[in-house]
Amino acid sequence: MQQGDVLLFQTNDNGDITVTNGLVEMSGGLETASYLSLFGGNEDDSNWWGNNDEIDTASQYHSETQELLRSIPSTSGNLIRIKDAAERDLAWFIDKKVASSITVAINIPALNKVKIIITITAQGDESTFEFVENWKISA
């Protein structure tokens, strides 16, 4: 029996999973929750699959990070807005006492790309995750 969360990773056209020998790759850490917090639905994604069964609207994903990456220009001047949004999207880790601290760093590694580096301390263990996402205004 597999345990943990399905491990999601970023691709050029959003998230994906790895299947090897018929088994989905799993993760026992906070990477999937971080990924979904940053890229899992927003106000315009009312039919996003992750919110379909969640009755409590306060528990639904509404990623401000994802929305900004689709709606503001890819400029160094907007990095602080993306960083602030990522911190707000991840704040539930602290609010729900899943983690004791979270730090977020943002940079532009290539044209129309943003790298989000998250360090989470939970129960004394530190984990770092990096997500490289497309940053281009949707037409």
Side-chain angles (χ1 to χ4, degrees), residues 6 13 20 23 34 38 46 50 53 67 123-124 127 138:
V6 172
D13 60 354
T20 305
L23 295 175
S34 299
L38 298 173
S46 58
D53 292 332
E67 178 60 27
Q123 298 178 349
S127 301
S138 298

Side-chain angles (χ1 to χ4, degrees), residues 23-36:
L23 295 175
V24 175
E25 186 175 353
M26 306 296 280
S27 170
L30 299 173
E31 186 170 13
T32 297
S34 299
Y35 177 88
L36 290 173

Side-chain angles (χ1 to χ4, degrees), residues 35-78:
Y35 177 88
L36 290 173
S37 296
L38 298 173
F39 308 112
N42 58 54
E43 295 298 331
D44 293 332
D45 290 340
S46 58
N47 293 321
W48 184 71
W49 63 269
N51 290 334
N52 284 347
D53 292 332
E54 185 54 62
I55 297 168
D56 180 9
T57 56
S59 295
Q60 291 181 347
Y61 288 102
H62 296 290
S63 171
E64 186 180 343
T65 305
Q66 176 184 314
E67 178 60 27
L68 286 178
L69 291 174
R70 293 178 178 177
S71 63
I72 63 174
S74 174
T75 65
S76 59
N78 280 329

Side-chain angles (χ1 to χ4, degrees), residues 71-113:
S71 63
I72 63 174
S74 174
T75 65
S76 59
N78 280 329
L79 284 174
I80 192 71
R81 290 182 66 190
I82 300 297
K83 180 180 185 288
D84 290 346
E87 289 171 345
R88 283 189 294 274
D89 286 340
L90 297 166
W92 72 268
F93 281 95
I94 304 295
D95 297 343
K96 299 287 186 181
K97 300 193 184 339
V98 173
S100 55
S101 71
I102 296 175
T103 59
V104 176
I106 307 282
N107 65 57
I108 300 174
L111 182 63
N112 294 326
K113 298 279 186 190

